[in-house]
Amino acid sequence: MDREGNSLRMIASFILGVGATLTLVVFYQAANFDGEKSLEKLSFGNGTVNATHQEQSPFSELAPLLKRVADEDRTIIMTSVNWACAKPGSLLDLFLQSFQTGEKINHFLKHLLIIAFDPPTFKRCKSVHPFCYQIKVNVNFTAEQTFNSNGYIDLVWSKIELQRYILELGYNFLFTDVDILWFRNPFKHVTVYADMTTSSDQYNGDPDDISNPQNTGFFYVKSNNRTIQMMRFRHDARKRFPPDHEQNIFSKIKHELADSHGINIQFVDPIYFTGFCQYSADLTKVCTVHSNCCGDGLGAKLHDLRDLMDYWKNYTTLPTEEKNNNKWYTWTKHDRQCNPVQW
C-alpha cells in the first residue's frame, strides 16, 4: 500500500511539474511575441500566401506565371498596356526593342511580365513576348487613355490592386511604364534598405527628402509587411480623394506613409532615371528615359522616343573615347513633338 501511495505521489508530482513547465513556456512566448515578425513567418515562411487568400483573389491565376518570371531574388519587372500602346509599331515594340539595344540588359526580358487590359492586347502580347497576363476588368481599355481621363484613372487603380497581390505572394517588383526606354541596368541604383525606390519628375538633389515629387511610372517595391500595408493604404486613399489620379493621391499620403507607417521611400537622381520632365544630359550614365511631361498624345511620344532610339543606336557605335565625351546636344536640337517641355 505504501509503495502504491509513493508511486501515485511520484506520478502526481511529475504531472504537476510538466504542467508548470508548459505554463512558463506559454507565458514566455506570449511575453516575447513580436507581431510583425510572427505575421511575416506565418504569411511568408515559404514565400506564398495561404490557400484561402489565393482562392479569394481575382488574380489567383497569376501565381504560376510569377514563378516562371521571377529571378532568383523573387523579383519581377512589370509593365502594362492596352491596345493603343500594344498594336504593331506602337510603344510596346519600342519598349521591347530598347532591351535589345541597351547595354547588357536583354536578359531582363526573361523576368518581364506584361499586363494586358483587353483580349486583343493580350493576343498581341503573346505574339511578341512569352510572359503576358490579362486583367479581367469591366472597362473598355482598347482606346488610347489620355492622362487623368476617367479610363486612365481606372486603369491605374486596377494596377495597384494587382501589385498588392504580387507583394502578398512574396515577390518584389519593379514597375515601368511602357513609354520608357531602357538603356542600362537600373537595379544598380535601387537602394537595398528602402521599401520603395522611385523616379522623380523634379528631383531636388536629396534622395531621402520625402517632398521630392515622385513619378510612379517607374518604381521598385520590396515585399514585406510594411509595403503590403502601404498598397492597401494607397488603394483605400482613393475613397478619401476622389476622383483623383493615383500619383496625385500618393503625393497627398506619402508623408503619412513615412511618418506613421514607417515606409522608407528613396528617390533616384534623374541623371540615372531621366525623362522629358527633367532630362539628364549625360548619356554615359542614364539607365532609363521616360516620355513624361508630354501632353500631346501618343503620336508625339512615339515620334520623340523613336528619335531618341535612333540617337542611342548611333551613340552605341561610337568609339569609347567619343562616347565618354558625347552628350545629348544633337538630339535635343531635333524637331520634338512633346510640348511644352523644359529642356
Side-chain angles (χ1 to χ4, degrees), residues 14-81:
F14 175 79
I15 293 174
L16 288 173
V18 170
T21 302
L22 288 173
T23 301
L24 287 172
V25 169
V26 171
F27 177 80
Y28 178 82
Q29 293 290 345
N32 290 276
F33 180 81
D34 186 324
E36 181 174 341
K37 291 183 179 179
S38 297
L39 286 173
E40 186 171 353
K41 291 177 182 178
L42 288 171
S43 301
F44 300 103
N46 60 356
T48 59
V49 294
N50 58 61
T52 302
H53 179 82
Q54 287 186 328
E55 291 171 0
Q56 293 174 346
S57 172
F59 310 117
S60 57
E61 296 177 358
L62 180 61
L65 185 57
L66 291 176
K67 291 182 180 179
R68 296 170 55 199
V69 178
D71 67 7
E72 63 274 11
D73 297 320
R74 298 182 64 83
T75 298
I76 68 164
I77 302 166
M78 63 183 298
T79 191
S80 58
V81 289

Side-chain angles (χ1 to χ4, degrees), residues 101-150:
T101 60
E103 293 184 356
K104 300 178 181 179
I105 58 171
N106 62 330
H107 64 283
F108 286 133
L109 289 172
K110 297 186 299 183
H111 307 296
L112 171 66
L113 175 68
I114 300 176
I115 307 300
F117 286 97
D118 52 78
T121 302
F122 180 67
K123 183 178 180 180
R124 161 69 176 156
C125 178
K126 294 292 289 183
S127 71
V128 296
H129 188 69
F131 305 120
C132 305
Y133 177 78
Q134 182 186 345
I135 290 185
K136 307 300 191 298
V137 291
N138 296 320
V139 180
N140 180 13
F141 287 131
T142 56
E144 176 185 354
Q145 300 297 335
T146 57
F147 185 79
N148 255 358
S149 65
N150 290 335

